[in-house]
Amino acid sequence: MVDESGFEIRRDPDAILRQIKEAERSDEPGRGKLKIFFGYAAGVGKTYAMLEDAHAFKEKGLDVVAGYIEPHTRADTTALLDGLEQIDCRTIEHRGIRLREFDLDAALARKPQILLVDELAHTNAPGSRHRKRYQDIEELLRAGINVFTTVNVQHLEGLNDKISAITQVRVAERIPDSVFDRADSVELIDIEPDDLIERLNAGKVYVPDRSWVALSNFFTKKNLAALREIALRRMADRMTRTPSVDGAACRVEAGEDVLVYVTPDAGNVKVIRAAANMAEAFHGALTALVIESSESKKLGPEERARLRSNIDLAEELGAHVVTMHGDDVAVLISQYSITAGITQLVLGSASGGKRLFSPKENLVSRLSHLSYGAVINVVPVKDLPMQLSRFRPATGFKLTSGDVVKAFLAVAVATAVGLLVHGLGLASSVILMGYMLVILLFATRADGFFYSVIAALGSVLAYNFFFTVPRFTLDAYGINYPFIFGFLMVSTLVASSLTVRAKRQSEATARRAYRTEALLESSRELQAATSIESCFAMAAKQIMKILDRPVVMYQALRDGRLSAPEVYDVPGSGGGDARSVDLVSPYEVAVASWVASNNERAGATTNTLAEARCLYLPIRSKGTVYGVAGLVMEEESEDFGSFEKNLLIAMLDECGQACERIVSARERHEMRTKAEKEELRSNLLRMISHDLRTPLTSISGDADMLLSEGGRLSDEQKRRMYEDIYEDSTWLINLVENLLSVTRIDEGSLQLDMEPEIVGDIVREAVAHTNRKGAAHDIRVDVPDELLMVKADARLIMQVIINLVNNAISYTPAGSRIEVSARREKTADGHAVRIAVADDGPGVPDADKERIFGMFFTGSESGLLKEGGDAHRSMGLGLALCRSIVRVHGSDLVISDADPRGSVFSFMLPEATMGGDLGERGDGSAEGGSAVEDAAERGLPGAGLPDVGENDRKG
């Protein structure tokens, strides 16, 4: 549905499809199942219940292994480990402390049917492959391993704010709600709070010293009751968040999408969590909007780190991050929400009074007027100081030394110009215009609006001091001066403010244009690519050009491995002190291989294999990985802005789509080739079964007659039978030779013996081996230059000439003239020799001139070519074979009409000269006829040169 403004307000169907695919992930073939034992606090018995289930499945004959079980002081829980195979933990040294961590590689190598991994929300020690344990479990599931694990309700990201408000304890180890919701099975382990407190007092959860501390803080009866209620509600809520499955199809409701405004504020995490919960409740997609204004580049390191952390949190909760540029936050949010059809807007607010320069309307009020039809949800947070400054268009009221210097310099220059004008005796209005012009010019170099205030006040004071009577004092006598001062103040303030605003808008427009142009240029180049290698090279060059960082590209091979890395770099590019040898080290290659096999990003700035030198992203399309791109990150700043990140992802997605197009085209070509080969095979079998029957029947009948009735036959009758047997057997031999030649050319195994040869010898030798029926025709050879030479394979060219002459013999009446000629012609590359076979027969219809060179083409239905023909022995291979041989020589066989009647078949061959190509033969002698003589000595046509019957003008 589209409103009157032309904006799309219906939810994007692609977003619904993405949600359906996400819902079907758990049903991917070969993917493991995840079961979570869920509790509301430590000590409820999650690990105990998991171990009991493990023993039950082991008794049923399943392969169950304990991957990692958190060490417990509870003897009954530890006793359940007996009888279960355990994977040894790996030890990691961190700050002098030996830490025990789950060995992911050992678990993947062991690959049991069920693996037990305790503590789903655990944060791995530095140096581990993944930052969080739930990422380890995700890799296990992709490997087809079923996993049992445990987690408490306070570790869910979406409930963190609510639980911390109740318990006054903020939990650091958290997991995205999507991990919990996508689990195949969740079992709630529940006991009464009083029973849990009793277990704590008995020392069954913690040692006595820790139990007393826990009961005094977190494990109060009030807190436990609240946590239990939250856990029960979350279990019920999970049923509404999980898409319902009916057979093989998933039903996903097309709900309302949610947009959250992300800022570099500590309190923004609460806003993001609230938006993620709303998106889950509405069954919609979550979009995180990041706005880069002119003030963004002035953010400090701490603010940039918080912004990156907030963006990572949004992505972790399933948000699609979008970056926009501009200073008017309200306009940008409303424009994007209307265009994308998003009806739920979430942003933060703060309590407190208005600030000095805050406008009358805050962000919420402006959005309520701009985003008609949208629901604006405000999350109240106390620690959101920067949000207030973003509730209005960025005014830049931030005092900087640069703007102060520029303002005083502008006033000084304007005053100097005014003194010069005053000395010339011009009117005071010219001086006022000079102030406005100079301050306006300097405003194009200013960074903030504070320049406008200082410049306006300075202009008024300077004009009063230097140009009003009495001069050189701040006194002003006259009824007009207040109006003059007011005009100068307002005009300079407004003009300079508008100039600064225009400058900022032009910068934002330039960035948008830069990104658009970069994507368009990448799209144009990738659309022109014809191979995956060229796609990768173009994408790498574009990324390096735009981001000024070295790029490492890996291509995914068909056997699942990666090709050797290609490093793209230019002198002076970014990337710190990166060297090519560091970028292709075994560790870097291993990270790239992990990305290709898991279809997930990894490396620098991520939570997976973060020690890598590069950020590695898969080049993919529709779930298929075609390669991996590694972007070198700066040593001192292992991050780059969301603008660059989105640009990189967009370019790699474009590259993946181009690779998909190339692979699809290649597959279509292979399928078409396979279909053509199948058709060729079926036609060949059909033609052979039909056309071999006649000569074989004739040979068999003549042989039977000679054996049974030989004594009663005359010598003349026997001679005719012998000739028939010879001709039929020769036809069969030539047929087989043609089929073998076609097969060798089709497979590309035909080897050319290119030597300088005398054309006259080739032509005369070929004519001498034509069909004996040629005696009834007038066959002539016309080669005026006896020393005319070509560089070719003499045996194959003779085969072409023999086939063409025999074709003319078969399809022209007796007495027709057939002429074989060879003449030198001038071409763009020098000189070439045209060899032609012409006849004065009935000719070839125009409709058949292109089809005549196709395999198995045996003529049209018009009957114009049947005179003198032997169509019952035609398989339609002769002319197709001739054209293939000529094309192997780099030329083409063409047909034209003879004058006044008949047909001409001709082709071109490169000329060989006495002093050039002949010298290549070693001794410098002219051995032009040696190859011809060798071919003749091997016996033609029985030596592989087909004879008449197979080569008909009908193909």
Side-chain angles (χ1 to χ4, degrees):
M1 184 171 61
V2 180
D3 68 356
E4 63 271 11
S5 300
F7 289 112
E8 181 73 22
I9 60 175
R10 178 184 295 172
R11 188 182 174 199
D12 184 6
D14 291 336
I16 301 176
L17 292 177
R18 285 194 298 269
Q19 188 176 355
I20 292 175
K21 291 179 180 179
E22 183 69 19
E24 292 176 343
R25 282 189 58 186
S26 59
D27 295 329
E28 291 178 3
R31 182 178 173 86
K33 305 294 184 181
L34 175 63
K35 181 175 182 179
I36 296 177
F37 293 84
F38 185 52
Y40 66 86
V44 297
K46 302 182 299 298
T47 304
Y48 189 90
M50 180 176 67
L51 291 173
E52 280 189 327
D53 262 24
H55 280 282
F57 279 105
K58 186 175 181 182
E59 291 175 0
K60 295 179 181 179
L62 275 70
D63 182 17
V64 182
V65 174
Y68 179 85
I69 301 297
E70 189 73 20
H72 291 86
T73 58
R74 304 156 227 169
D76 51 352
T77 301
T78 305
L80 286 176
L81 284 173
D82 296 338
L84 291 178
E85 178 185 346
Q86 299 184 53
I87 295 177
D88 294 334
C89 296
R90 56 193 292 258
T91 303
I92 298 178
E93 291 280 350
H94 180 60
R95 296 180 180 178
I97 303 175
R98 297 173 64 87
L99 303 175
R100 296 172 65 254
E101 289 292 346
F102 169 56
D103 194 338
L104 176 59
D105 291 324
L108 291 171
R110 175 62 176 80
K111 198 172 183 179
Q113 289 177 288
I114 298 176
L115 185 69
L116 311 181
V117 184
D118 211 0
E119 298 294 336
L120 176 62
H122 173 72
T123 300
N124 295 329
S128 302
R129 179 182 305 174
H130 300 288
R131 181 173 174 268
K132 304 289 291 186
R133 182 164 291 169
Y134 75 83
Q135 296 171 317
D136 294 339
I137 291 178
E138 182 65 26
E139 185 169 349
L140 293 170
L141 296 175
R142 286 196 297 266
I145 301 174
N146 302 310
V147 179
F148 288 0
T149 187
T150 63
V151 74
N152 285 324
V153 66
Q154 63 265 30
H155 295 290
L156 297 183
E157 185 72 60
L159 298 174
N160 184 261
D161 294 316
K162 179 186 294 186
I163 293 176
S164 63
I166 295 173
T167 63
Q168 302 302 315
V169 176
R170 186 171 293 276
V171 178
E173 294 182 330
R174 303 184 295 272
I175 65 170
D177 289 47
S178 57
V179 175
F180 182 80
D181 293 327
R182 288 203 307 262
D184 299 276
S185 175
V186 177
E187 182 176 336
L188 178 64
I189 310 301
D190 182 44
I191 63 173
E192 290 290 337
D194 291 335
D195 295 337
L196 179 56
I197 293 174
E198 183 179 341
R199 296 188 64 188
L200 281 165
N201 289 324
K204 294 182 179 181
V205 180
Y206 299 121
V207 296
D209 291 343
R210 290 190 59 192
S211 297
W212 182 84
V213 175
L215 286 169
S216 303
N217 295 281
F218 188 83
F219 284 85
T220 64
K221 186 173 182 179
K222 178 182 177 182
N223 286 350
L224 294 178
L227 291 173
R228 186 188 185 201
E229 181 181 352
I230 293 173
L232 292 171
R233 289 181 179 274
R234 188 63 180 85
M235 280 293 295
D237 187 45
R238 179 178 177 272
M239 302 303 297
T240 63
R241 298 190 181 201
T242 305
S244 61
V245 179
D246 184 11
C250 289
R251 178 183 61 82
V252 180
E253 297 181 9
E256 293 185 81
D257 291 343
V258 179
L259 183 143
V260 58
Y261 173 39
V262 179
T263 65
D265 304 302
N268 195 240
V269 294
K270 185 176 181 180
V271 181
I272 296 172
R273 293 191 189 110
N277 290 334
M278 288 182 60
E280 289 285 352
F282 290 144
H283 301 287
L286 176 62
T287 299
L289 182 62
V290 181
I291 296 178
E292 291 193 0
S293 66
S294 55
E295 298 294 325
S296 298
K297 59 184 178 181
K298 300 178 183 179
L299 294 177
E302 183 179 352
E303 293 172 330
R304 289 186 179 275
R306 281 203 304 264
L307 178 60
R308 173 192 167 189
S309 176
N310 292 343
I311 293 174
D312 290 343
L313 175 62
E315 289 182 332
E316 197 175 75
L317 295 176
H320 169 60
V321 180
V322 176
T323 303
M324 298 187 71
H325 304 274
D327 288 331
D328 197 329
V329 176
V331 171
L332 293 174
I333 293 177
S334 63
Q335 286 180 349
Y336 184 85
S337 62
I338 293 174
T339 304
I342 299 177
T343 56
Q344 296 289 338
L345 309 181
V346 182
L347 45 94
S349 179
S351 59
K354 296 182 180 179
R355 298 193 174 185
L356 177 62
F357 297 107
S358 61
K360 295 180 180 180
E361 284 190 319
N362 59 18
L363 180 60
V364 178
S365 299
R366 296 196 66 211
L367 281 176
S368 64
H369 293 99
L370 295 173
S371 302
Y372 46 88
V375 178
I376 303 173
N377 303 273
V378 181
V379 180
V381 287
K382 296 181 180 179
D383 51 352
L384 210 56
M386 188 169 293
Q387 185 78 24
L388 281 175
S389 64
R390 291 173 176 248
F391 277 174
R392 48 174 164 59
T395 55
F397 281 113
K398 184 176 181 180
L399 186 61
T400 62
S401 58
D403 282 351
V404 172
V405 171
K406 291 170 187 175
F408 280 109
L409 185 60
V411 173
V413 173
T415 302
V417 173
L419 290 174
L420 178 62
V421 171
H422 187 272
L424 297 175
L426 299 178
S428 59
S429 59
V430 178
I431 299 176
L432 294 175
M433 294 175 60
Y435 270 101
M436 293 181 57
L437 178 61
V438 173
I439 290 174
L440 191 62
L441 292 175
F442 273 83
T444 60
R445 301 291 182 179
D447 296 324
F449 293 112
F450 221 105
Y451 162 85
S452 304
V453 177
I454 297 176
L457 291 174
S459 300
V460 172
L461 293 176
Y463 182 80
N464 184 18
F465 186 81
F466 288 101
F467 302 107
T468 62
V469 179
R471 298 182 62 190
F472 307 113
T473 67
L474 294 179
D475 296 330
Y477 303 115
I479 194 172
N480 294 327
Y481 284 134
F483 297 99
I484 294 175
F485 295 158
F487 168 77
L488 181 60
M489 178 75 175
V490 173
S491 59
T492 53
L493 182 62
V494 172
S496 58
S497 299
L498 292 176
T499 303
V500 173
R501 181 186 293 273
K503 175 190 172 184
R504 294 185 170 208
Q505 291 176 347
S506 65
E507 290 176 352
T509 303
R511 296 203 71 181
R512 287 195 295 267
Y514 174 72
R515 174 176 181 174
T516 304
E517 181 60 28
L519 292 177
L520 288 176
E521 183 179 356
S522 299
S523 178
R524 286 193 298 266
E525 293 190 359
L526 290 173
Q527 288 297 325
T530 57
S531 65
I532 294 180
E533 292 80 5
S534 60
C535 272
F536 282 15
M538 292 177 183
K541 291 177 181 178
Q542 282 295 105
I543 294 172
M544 188 171 56
K545 171 184 174 183
I546 294 172
L547 302 181
D548 190 32
R549 296 168 187 254
V551 180
V552 186
M553 304 294 286
Y554 299 81
Q555 182 179 347
L557 305 178
R558 292 190 176 184
D559 57 0
R561 297 181 294 108
L562 291 180
S563 65
E566 290 283 342
V567 180
Y568 296 85
D569 193 10
V570 292
S573 65
D577 58 354
R579 298 176 301 172
S580 294
V581 66
D582 298 329
L583 303 182
V584 297
S585 64
Y587 180 76
E588 297 290 329
V589 174
V591 177
S593 299
W594 186 92
V595 171
S597 59
N598 290 273
N599 197 8
E600 297 286 345
R601 65 178 181 175
T605 74
T606 70
N607 293 329
T608 301
L609 300 167
E611 294 78 14
R613 188 68 181 83
C614 301
L615 168 64
Y616 292 94
L617 297 101
I619 302 174
R620 61 194 175 189
S621 179
K622 296 181 180 178
T624 302
V625 177
Y626 298 100
V628 176
L631 182 68
V632 178
M633 307 306 292
E634 297 286 354
E635 289 283 1
E636 64 276 6
S637 177
E638 297 183 352
D639 190 22
F640 61 111
S642 57
F643 170 77
E644 290 80 8
K645 180 180 177 182
N646 289 337
L647 189 61
L648 174 62
I649 293 175
M651 295 178 66
L652 293 181
D653 287 345
E654 188 77 24
C655 181
Q657 293 172 7
C659 292
E660 180 190 13
R661 174 181 55 80
I662 292 172
V663 171
S664 298
R666 184 186 303 163
E667 291 176 351
R668 288 194 300 270
H669 176 72
E670 291 175 354
M671 293 176 61
R672 186 167 56 250
T673 302
K674 184 177 180 181
E676 291 175 354
K677 288 183 177 180
E678 290 295 331
E679 183 180 4
L680 173 63
R681 184 179 294 109
S682 62
N683 288 337
L684 184 60
L685 292 175
R686 175 176 55 82
M687 299 294 289
I688 287 178
S689 62
H690 177 271
D691 290 344
L692 292 186
R693 185 180 298 113
T694 300
L696 288 176
T697 302
S698 176
I699 292 173
S700 176
D702 289 342
D704 180 67
M705 180 67 71
L706 291 171
L707 289 174
S708 61
E709 304 292 338
R712 289 186 288 180
L713 296 175
S714 64
D715 293 339
E716 179 63 23
Q717 289 175 325
K718 291 180 180 180
R719 187 182 65 80
R720 285 199 301 269
M721 287 186 178
Y722 290 144
E723 288 179 350
D724 291 341
I725 292 174
Y726 175 77
E727 289 182 0
D728 288 336
S729 61
T730 300
W731 186 88
L732 291 174
I733 291 173
N734 292 330
L735 171 62
V736 173
E737 291 294 339
N738 270 354
L739 291 174
L740 290 176
S741 296
V742 169
T743 303
R744 286 195 297 269
I745 293 175
D746 185 56
E747 294 178 349
S749 59
L750 182 66
Q751 300 295 326
L752 295 181
D753 183 17
M754 302 289 287
E755 295 289 348
E757 304 288 351
I758 296 178
V759 179
D761 293 347
I762 296 177
V763 172
R764 280 186 284 270
E765 192 68 34
V767 171
H769 288 85
T770 55
N771 195 312
R772 287 193 298 271
K773 293 181 179 179
H777 293 70
D778 181 13
I779 301 179
R780 301 180 182 182
V781 175
D782 182 16
V783 184
D785 188 352
E786 290 295 331
L787 296 180
L788 186 62
M789 304 182 70
V790 294
K791 191 170 184 178
D793 188 319
R795 181 178 62 87
L796 293 177
I797 296 302
M798 278 193 286
Q799 185 173 356
V800 172
I801 297 174
I802 290 173
N803 277 0
L804 293 177
V805 173
N806 286 342
N807 186 68
I809 292 172
S810 300
Y811 286 93
T812 56
S816 299
R817 189 177 75 172
I818 301 173
E819 183 180 275
V820 184
S821 62
R823 283 179 170 75
R824 180 187 293 107
E825 292 187 6
K826 189 172 183 179
T827 64
D829 299 329
H831 287 86
V833 176
R834 179 180 295 277
I835 300 176
V837 177
D839 64 69
D840 58 357
V844 178
D846 292 338
D848 291 341
K849 285 183 179 178
E850 281 302 320
R851 301 166 59 200
I852 198 171
F853 296 107
M855 283 190 177
F856 308 114
F857 179 71
T858 56
S860 64
E861 300 296 330
S862 62
L864 296 177
L865 302 180
K866 292 183 178 179
E867 183 181 355
D870 192 12
H872 71 281
R873 289 193 179 182
S874 169
M875 286 189 64
L877 290 178
L879 292 179
L881 175 61
C882 290
R883 171 171 272 190
S884 298
I885 292 175
V886 172
R887 285 182 172 176
V888 170
H889 282 76
S891 183
D892 198 7
L893 180 63
V894 296
I895 182 175
S896 58
D897 294 330
D899 187 20
R901 58 185 301 224
S903 300
V904 180
F905 292 86
S906 62
F907 57 93
M908 304 282 285
L909 292 175
E911 182 183 10
T913 58
M914 293 289 291
D917 295 326
L918 283 177
E920 299 175 2
R921 302 192 63 166
D923 55 1
S925 61
E927 301 180 40
S930 61
V932 179
E933 294 168 359
D934 290 343
E937 290 173 359
R938 290 194 295 270
L940 297 175
L945 301 180
D947 207 346
V948 55
E950 168 58 19
N951 303 285
D952 59 278
R953 184 163 307 181
K954 297 181 182 181

